[in-house]
Amino acid sequence: MNFALKAKRIKNVYYFVLAAAIAQQLYIPADYKYFHLALLFLTLITADMYKFDYRDYANEYRILFLIGCSTLVVVADGLSPVDFRILYYILMSTAMYFVIRLIHDTVKVFSMGGEGKKFINDRNVKLFKNNGLFMRAYGKALIAIIVLAFIYMIYDLIILV
């Protein structure tokens, strides 16, 4: 399949999931169920660094599916007296895993030095300045933040029980 067509299709999926997540946040806000929107933006920004023919579309679709399901769970939680927090956290944990994989792969590309430039979109090649040190540090910091969010979710579940 043509890479431009794949990119156009996934862009439409991104738009749909983003619109649904923003609408959910506007019309059915929840106290603790907002991290899926942050993961969506993080995925979008990270995936956009790559050239179309080097993107991991399967991983992106997994993340988008999980974030879309998370949005639906938040809506169901807001409209129902049932607490869907555990289901939301399961979906978020799985999405976090795939986002960490995406970020980790990006850190590896920026660790390759000049060889990694062939994977990165031309408008982002400047990020290889200083051998990609900024992007490697940025990626590791993002992974640490996601791990801390996961630890917080575990803590919240312990308090819940």
Side-chain angles (χ1 to χ4, degrees), residues 34-36 38-40 42-43 59 62-63 66-67 70 88-104 142-154:
Y34 58 88
F35 195 63
H36 58 286
L39 280 180
L40 178 60
L42 186 58
T43 303
N59 194 37
R62 284 184 206 109
I63 295 166
L66 291 164
I67 291 172
S70 299
Y88 178 80
Y89 283 166
I90 290 169
L91 290 167
M92 279 295 85
S93 298
T94 310
M96 286 176 181
Y97 167 74
F98 289 114
V99 172
I100 286 174
R101 273 184 42 186
L102 177 65
I103 294 170
H104 181 265
L142 288 175
I143 290 171
I145 290 168
I146 294 171
V147 169
L148 286 174
F150 177 77
I151 291 168
Y152 173 77
M153 286 187 336
I154 299 298

Side-chain angles (χ1 to χ4, degrees), residues 7-18:
K8 184 177 179 179
R9 284 184 180 166
I10 200 158
K11 184 171 91 172
N12 291 332
V13 175
Y14 271 109
Y15 287 154
F16 178 77
V17 174
L18 181 62

Side-chain angles (χ1 to χ4, degrees), residues 67-117:
I67 291 172
C69 289
S70 299
T71 301
L72 292 175
V73 166
V74 173
V75 169
D77 189 58
L79 300 175
S80 165
V82 178
D83 187 3
F84 288 105
R85 185 181 312 208
I86 292 173
L87 179 57
Y88 178 80
Y89 283 166
I90 290 169
L91 290 167
M92 279 295 85
S93 298
T94 310
M96 286 176 181
Y97 167 74
F98 289 114
V99 172
I100 286 174
R101 273 184 42 186
L102 177 65
I103 294 170
H104 181 265
D105 291 346
T106 304
V107 168
K108 285 188 346 188
V109 166
F110 279 95
S111 297
M112 296 170 72
E115 297 172 25
K117 287 183 181 180

